[in-house]
Amino acid sequence: MKSLEQLKKDLSNGLYDGVLAKIYSKKDTSEDRERYKDLLNGFSANFGAEREVSLFSAPGRTEIGGNHTDHQHGCVLAASVNLDVIAAVALNNENLIRLQSEGYPLDVINLNELSPEMSEYNQAKALIRGVVAQFKELGYDIKGFDAYTTSNVLKGSGLSSSAAFEVLIGNILNGLFANNSVSDVEIAKIGQYAENVYFGKPCGLMDQMASSVGAVVSIDFENTENPLIEKVDFDFSKSGYALCIIDSGADHADLTDEYAAIPYEMKKVAKVFEKEVLREVDEALFMENLAKVREKCGDRAVLRAMHFYADNRRAILEAEALKKGDFERFLELVKESGRSSYMYLQNVSVAGATNNQAVAVVLALCDKILQNKGAYRVHGGGFAGTIQAFVPLNMVNEFKMRIEKAIGEGCCHILSIRPVGGIRIE
């Protein structure tokens, strides 16, 4: 830790330019430098300037392959991106965690009160409480601290702001109280537990894993206790395409039941075969018993199971295509995944919605603008949020202009892949 004022001076003098350039994959770090200085000013305004402070960062993620496969112990391809949630943190010698996120009410956690609270579902304090509870369960002596956070991972963007926040808290606790002895994989699992049990959202593990581990990662969740993780060596900057994430403008705050229905229905199919998840059910056996599954589970569950089997294979094939440098094959697989999510998984629009089909509208625009070039697909959980598009570099400006003219200024984000996950900035 350094004094807050010394940290600001070091940032101004360029002492952190090297690490910032690495984290954000760019040479000019002037905007990032100012962002961290603003973070320290925010901490000072809320908790005082005469403090010893540490800096932490955790990235958002982009799901590249495997849409809703992780919660069935399937395979995914994901990457951390150059948007993140950052924190300035100082010990407070109390038994309280006080966390002030820019633009939100202060969250206060008593370290003696770490049981789940249903009244805190869908609140940030639930995630803090859940992550802290798991670290204490592991035997670490967690003490009170004050933290100020800011984020450019847009809430509801499909870049998983909640996972980034969980990974951030995990890295704070790991850095301050565990001597960085908790692995990136374990931090991801702790974040998932907090979201499932404390936050009340039945998510898989992909979001947390991509944010915690960082870079492009291929993950096989067949053994969730020890998932197989492989960093994929591929430089997107040399592909001739830009990664664009388009915010549809729709809010997914009230869609927890829609998200929960997907793993529920897939697991319902698995239970027909006396298994817990679809990864444990042979696809040929599933197809041989299709009539029985339709009768017991309904047709939407059947279609969602079909999507799982196909997208699980695609996630593996996408990673192989990138490792071989076959970007055209990769784009074909991305388009196939998008069609499967729309037709079988059915996570583009809420059933019965007529006026609000924002994700479908953006997909239609991508189709019209790109035609047979590049690729696009629903991104993340679906129903609201974002679309992912791989756009030829010579079309990026026109693509962004036409999308934003129709959907709204600032909705199209041109991103890069971040080479590191959650990190203490030193």
Side-chain angles (χ1 to χ4, degrees):
M1 286 190 170
K2 292 184 179 180
S3 72
L4 189 147
E5 289 304 318
Q6 185 61 53
L7 263 177
K8 288 170 66 174
K9 289 178 183 177
D10 289 346
L11 283 162
S12 296
N13 293 333
L15 188 64
Y16 287 84
D17 283 0
V19 68
L20 294 178
K22 179 182 178 182
I23 291 172
Y24 299 110
S25 302
K26 57 185 178 181
K27 294 180 180 178
D28 184 1
T29 62
S30 55
E31 289 184 3
D32 305 293
R33 194 187 309 144
E34 292 304 312
R35 182 175 173 229
Y36 277 90
K37 288 164 68 177
D38 288 343
L39 175 78
L40 291 169
N41 288 334
F43 182 95
S44 178
N46 283 273
F47 300 113
E50 302 300 319
R51 305 291 293 274
E52 297 284 314
V53 179
S54 290
L55 299 174
F56 294 85
S57 161
R61 69 95 182 101
T62 181
E63 169 207 283
I64 299 174
N67 193 209
H68 280 281
T69 54
D70 58 331
H71 50 66
Q72 298 303 298
H73 298 189
C75 299
V76 300
L77 187 67
S80 55
V81 298
N82 60 328
L83 300 178
D84 61 351
V85 54
I86 59 177
V89 184
L91 298 174
N92 62 21
N93 296 317
E94 298 181 49
N95 206 38
L96 300 174
I97 293 173
R98 290 186 288 259
L99 188 143
Q100 178 68 64
S101 294
E102 183 181 29
Y104 291 88
L106 177 70
D107 289 318
V108 180
I109 304 296
N110 187 319
L111 293 175
N112 292 326
E113 300 172 359
L114 297 178
S115 298
E117 298 281 350
M118 288 187 65
S119 62
E120 291 182 352
Y121 275 11
N122 297 309
Q123 297 180 42
K125 66 170 63 176
L127 298 176
I128 303 168
R129 198 183 303 276
V131 174
V132 172
Q134 284 297 284
F135 266 81
K136 292 199 77 170
E137 185 73 19
L138 291 172
Y140 296 105
D141 184 18
I142 307 301
K143 301 183 186 303
F145 61 84
D146 298 328
Y148 183 79
T149 77
T150 68
S151 176
N152 58 13
V153 185
L154 301 177
K155 187 177 181 181
S157 67
L159 299 174
S160 200
S161 56
S162 59
F165 185 77
E166 294 152 19
V167 170
L168 179 77
I169 301 301
N171 274 269
I172 291 171
L173 301 180
N174 199 26
L176 297 184
F177 310 113
N179 197 29
N180 292 316
S181 61
V182 181
S183 70
D184 294 337
V185 171
E186 189 62 30
I187 287 175
K189 292 178 184 176
I190 290 170
Q192 182 202 24
Y193 176 86
E195 189 153 347
N196 290 173
V197 177
Y198 283 73
F199 193 73
K201 183 176 179 181
C203 68
L205 186 56
M206 180 188 68
D207 296 351
Q208 293 82 1
M209 197 70 77
S211 177
S212 188
V213 175
V216 180
V217 288
S218 175
I219 312 170
D220 185 339
F221 289 113
E222 185 170 20
N223 181 346
T224 56
E225 291 302 312
N226 294 288
L228 297 177
I229 303 165
E230 180 186 6
K231 289 201 174 185
V232 178
D233 186 16
F234 182 83
D235 188 349
F236 271 98
S237 67
K238 297 178 181 178
S239 68
Y241 289 79
L243 168 61
C244 297
I245 300 295
I246 306 151
D247 186 352
S248 69
D251 185 7
H252 65 195
D254 297 322
L255 295 173
T256 297
D257 290 346
E258 296 292 338
Y259 298 125
I262 294 176
Y264 172 78
E265 290 179 11
M266 289 184 179
K267 289 178 179 180
K268 189 176 180 181
V269 172
K271 286 179 181 177
V272 173
F273 302 93
E274 299 182 349
K275 302 294 183 182
E276 289 298 316
V277 293
L278 285 174
R279 183 66 178 271
E280 299 172 346
V281 180
D282 182 75
E283 183 180 8
L285 183 64
F286 161 74
M287 293 302 298
E288 288 171 11
N289 291 273
L290 202 59
K292 177 182 178 182
V293 178
R294 290 182 66 193
E295 180 183 352
K296 289 184 174 293
C297 303
D299 287 345
R300 190 173 70 171
V302 167
L303 291 167
R304 285 174 165 172
M306 288 180 173
H307 165 82
F308 165 79
Y309 288 116
D311 230 37
N312 196 51
R313 284 192 297 273
R314 271 190 290 265
I316 298 169
L317 294 173
E318 285 172 349
E320 291 176 355
L322 290 180
K323 285 185 277 189
K324 293 176 182 176
D326 189 351
F327 202 71
E328 290 304 314
R329 175 58 178 153
F330 167 77
L331 292 175
E332 290 174 2
L333 292 163
V334 170
K335 286 187 275 191
E336 288 178 14
S337 177
R339 285 192 292 268
S340 180
S341 291
Y342 209 151
M343 293 173 62
Y344 301 121
L345 184 61
Q346 299 181 41
N347 69 332
V348 168
S349 300
V350 175
T354 54
N355 290 330
N356 300 312
Q357 295 192 15
V359 173
V361 170
V362 177
L363 288 171
L365 283 169
C366 290
D367 184 52
K368 188 170 185 62
I369 298 168
L370 292 175
Q371 298 183 19
N372 294 322
K373 303 180 182 69
Y376 57 90
R377 63 194 283 273
V378 65
H379 180 248
F383 300 111
T386 59
I387 288 81
Q388 177 189 78
F390 294 93
V391 182
L393 291 176
N394 62 3
M395 295 182 65
V396 169
N397 292 336
E398 178 193 1
F399 180 84
K400 180 178 172 66
M401 178 191 70
R402 292 177 66 179
I403 288 289
E404 293 192 346
K405 181 179 179 181
I407 305 301
E409 186 176 352
C411 72
C412 183
H413 306 278
I414 302 170
L415 305 182
S416 63
I417 302 300
R418 167 167 156 157
V420 296
I423 190 173
R424 183 177 187 172
I425 297 172
E426 296 178 296

